[in-house]
């Protein structure tokens, strides 16, 4: 990037809301998040020059495609603004952010809106689960299961156990931390959920197996929701700050990014990495690319992480791939408190996908927005003291699409 891209504002819907039960749908989520972002950023709709929408399963869940045009439909002030939709499974809105950053860096546009959105609660859980299988390689995964994604990430746990050893107590603790973090997040899906002393144990009644390697509390919570952010060039951000009488340090910026893809099939990824230190070397590469572009040496210069915990195993993968421990030693960061509030590098103060919720197409944008709130001191009770730099790690499918951003406070 020629210079950082600034985050002028954003808005997340309440991830505990099931919109269809109120007679509403995905279009209403888009409307709320877009209007909320414009208001939060104090940007007039006429200043938005391009729109990117991240969504994975609109056709399957709502028979609604063509979501780029949905924004102008529900926010008529944006009529005529060029728009497009991005699909990358759970990383869909991160792809939208990448496209927006490229447009800004190329000088095409100065102010760009990104909206991530997904609706799941308009169907029963079994139907939604089957639809999500579209993010795998249908008919080719060779995973015998009832539920594809709990089975796939159960295999990730088993692969870690085979290569390095794995104590399930550490996965249980990851879940417990993320649910606890969600309790102070007023927009988290699980903020009012209740657990007992057996919930985060190997108790087969309180925490039953869903598929081999995956118990109930290991699972992220798919839900309804949207999150919008407004990005701008440095020139636009400086004009914007002068107009509002803001110090530029009040604005967050994206200073680094990494984006890698692997194939769809999970077992191929295991096979290709047999001689590598990391189970998913392309994930490590996306992370280090983000560091390089941000001009930092590594995780020691990061104050917190928003990472993809669609399952506890995904966060376990993130811990060592981000460099919080050596490869295969993620358990150390769980045991020594590194990832907890007040730890050396807190992870998912929002509650993550497990606690905050996982409206698939919105997750990447939500991670960036929560990171922006952290580095500007606006994260409320979830605030990391003195946070100036956060990193996101967002994945799609079985770690097939991987995007990481470095978000910093402005100067």
């Amino acid at each position: 990037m020629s210079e950082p891209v600034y985050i002028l504002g954003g808005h997340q819907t309440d991830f505990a809301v099931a919109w269809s039960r109120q007679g509403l749908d995905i279009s209403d989520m888009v409307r709320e998040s877009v209007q909320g972002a414009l208001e939060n950023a104090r940007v007039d709709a006429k200043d938005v020059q391009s729109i990117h929408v991240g969504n994975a399963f609109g056709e399957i869940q709502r028979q609604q495609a063509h979501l780029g045009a949905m924004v102008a439909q529900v926010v008529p002030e944006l009529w005529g603004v060029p728009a497009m939709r991005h699909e990358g499974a759970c990383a869909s809105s991160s792809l939208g952010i990448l496209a927006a950053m490229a447009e800004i860096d190329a000088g095409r546009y100065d102010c760009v809106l990104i909206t991530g959105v997904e609706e799941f609660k308009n169907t029963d859980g079994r139907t939604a689960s089957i639809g999500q299988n579209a993010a795998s390689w249908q008919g080719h995964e060779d995973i015998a299961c009832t539920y594809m994604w709990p089975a796939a990430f159960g295999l990730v746990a088993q692969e870690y156990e085979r290569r390095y050893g794995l104590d399930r107590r550490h996965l249980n603790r990851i879940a417990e931390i993320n649910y606890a973090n969600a309790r102070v997040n007023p927009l988290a899906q699980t903020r009012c959920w209740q657990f007992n002393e057996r919930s985060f144990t190997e108790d087969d009644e309180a925490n039953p197996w869903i598929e081999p390697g995956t118990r109930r509390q290991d699972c992220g919570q798919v839900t309804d929701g949207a999150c919008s952010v407004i990005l701008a060039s440095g020139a636009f951000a400086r004009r914007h700050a002068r107009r509002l009488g803001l110090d530029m340090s009040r604005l967050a910026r994206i200073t680094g990014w990494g984006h890698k893809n692997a194939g769809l099939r999970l077992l191929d990824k295991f096979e290709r990495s047999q001689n590598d230190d990391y189970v998913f070397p392309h994930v490590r590469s996306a992370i280090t690319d983000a560091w390089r572009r941000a001009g930092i040496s590594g995780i020691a210069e990061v104050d917190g992480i928003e990472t993809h915990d669609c399952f506890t195993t995904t966060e376990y993968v993130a811990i060592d791939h981000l460099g919080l421990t050596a490869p295969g030693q993620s358990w150390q960061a769980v045991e020594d408190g590194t990832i907890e509030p007040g730890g050396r590098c807190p992870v998912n103060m929002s509650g993550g996908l497990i606690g905050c919720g996982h409206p698939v197409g919105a997750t990447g944008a939500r991670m960036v927005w929560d990171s922006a709130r952290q580095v500007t001191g606006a994260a409320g009770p979830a605030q990391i003291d003195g946070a100036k730099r956060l990193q996101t790690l967002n994945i799609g499918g079985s770690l097939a699409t991987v995007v990481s951003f470095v978000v910093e406070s402005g100067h």
Side-chain angles (χ1 to χ4, degrees):
M1 296 184 294
S2 57
E3 69 172 334
V5 170
Y6 284 80
I7 304 169
L8 301 186
H11 181 84
Q12 176 198 326
T13 66
D14 184 345
F15 284 2
V17 173
W19 291 68
S20 61
R21 296 172 194 170
Q22 301 180 17
L24 304 173
D25 62 30
I26 192 169
S27 64
D28 300 288
M29 301 179 215
V30 171
R31 180 188 294 108
E32 180 189 315
S33 70
V34 169
Q35 290 178 337
L38 291 169
E39 181 179 350
N40 177 266
R42 290 190 278 178
V43 167
D44 195 288
K46 66 179 175 54
D47 291 324
V48 174
Q49 299 167 331
S50 179
I51 299 167
H52 295 269
V53 177
N55 173 268
F57 300 113
E59 293 91 336
I60 296 171
Q61 285 293 126
R62 178 58 72 175
Q63 295 77 54
Q64 181 62 64
H66 205 177
L67 286 166
M70 179 64 77
V71 179
Q73 183 64 48
V74 298
V75 185
E77 297 86 350
L78 294 169
W79 204 277
V81 178
M84 64 184 77
R85 180 252 187 115
H86 303 265
E87 187 282 312
C90 308
S92 294
S93 56
S94 284
L95 298 183
I97 291 172
L98 285 171
M101 291 169 61
E103 289 181 331
I104 292 169
D105 196 44
R108 290 184 177 184
Y109 303 117
D110 281 323
C111 182
V112 183
L113 166 70
I114 300 92
T115 296
V117 63
E118 207 75 64
E119 182 175 18
F120 282 120
K121 297 299 186 180
N122 61 317
T123 64
D124 64 86
R126 173 69 172 153
T127 301
S129 175
I130 292 171
Q132 291 167 61
N133 292 347
S136 66
W137 192 14
Q138 295 288 272
H140 297 275
E141 291 285 354
D142 297 324
I143 300 174
C145 62
T146 300
Y147 300 103
M148 171 58 68
W149 294 115
F153 285 95
L155 287 175
V156 173
Q158 292 171 37
E159 185 70 9
Y160 263 79
E161 183 172 13
R162 185 184 70 81
R163 295 192 192 192
Y164 307 109
L166 177 67
D167 188 332
R168 278 203 51 87
R169 291 179 306 154
H170 300 120
L171 300 184
N172 292 337
R173 181 59 183 151
I174 286 171
E176 187 175 22
I177 292 168
N178 288 343
Y179 277 118
N181 288 348
R183 294 190 71 81
V184 300
N185 182 347
L187 299 175
Q189 181 190 16
T190 72
R191 60 187 183 269
C192 297
W193 288 20
Q194 299 298 316
F195 300 96
N196 60 43
E197 67 279 0
R198 296 183 298 135
S199 297
F200 302 102
T201 69
E202 298 299 284
D203 187 295
D204 289 341
E205 182 178 343
N207 192 17
W209 291 106
I210 305 301
E211 292 283 354
T214 300
R215 290 185 180 269
R216 176 190 290 161
Q217 259 68 268
D218 290 316
C219 302
Q221 308 302 323
V222 295
T223 188
D224 292 350
C227 184
S228 295
V229 292
I230 297 175
L231 302 185
S233 66
F236 186 99
R238 287 185 284 272
R239 293 195 302 271
H240 181 70
R242 283 197 299 269
R243 180 175 64 84
L244 298 177
L246 292 176
D247 190 309
M248 285 290 285
S249 65
R250 297 275 303 276
L251 298 177
R253 350 173 255 156
I254 300 175
T255 58
W257 59 272
H259 174 205
K260 297 293 182 182
N261 270 74
L264 286 166
R265 188 172 182 267
L266 174 61
L267 299 182
D268 290 345
K269 301 181 186 76
F270 292 156
E271 182 178 350
R272 290 171 70 96
S273 69
Q274 287 303 310
N275 297 318
D276 200 282
D277 289 339
Y278 294 95
V279 178
F280 300 100
H282 67 289
V283 175
R284 175 67 176 176
S285 181
I287 291 164
T288 58
D289 280 351
W291 294 342
R292 174 176 53 80
R293 292 182 173 113
I296 63 175
S297 61
I299 201 66
E301 296 183 64
V302 174
D303 301 311
I305 293 162
E306 279 292 328
T307 195
H308 206 92
D309 58 322
C310 53
F311 296 89
T312 56
T313 45
T314 330
E315 182 168 331
Y316 199 83
V317 169
I319 288 169
D320 66 348
H321 285 63
L322 281 157
L324 290 173
T325 71
Q329 306 303 306
S330 297
W331 60 271
Q332 294 174 349
V334 180
E335 285 202 353
D336 67 15
T338 290
I339 65 173
E340 297 183 23
R344 174 167 56 94
C345 190
V347 175
N348 288 345
M349 290 296 291
S350 64
L353 285 64
I354 287 174
C356 182
H358 184 31
V360 167
T363 288
R366 195 276 306 161
M367 288 178 174
V368 167
W369 176 230
D370 271 325
S371 297
R373 293 171 63 237
Q374 284 285 351
V375 302
T376 56
Q383 183 67 51
I384 299 169
D385 289 343
K388 297 300 180 186
R389 181 182 292 119
L390 259 74
Q391 186 165 10
T392 73
L393 180 61
N394 185 203
I395 70 161
S398 58
L399 299 99
T401 300
V402 184
V403 182
S404 180
F405 295 108
V406 174
V407 179
E408 302 186 24
S409 58
H411 294 316

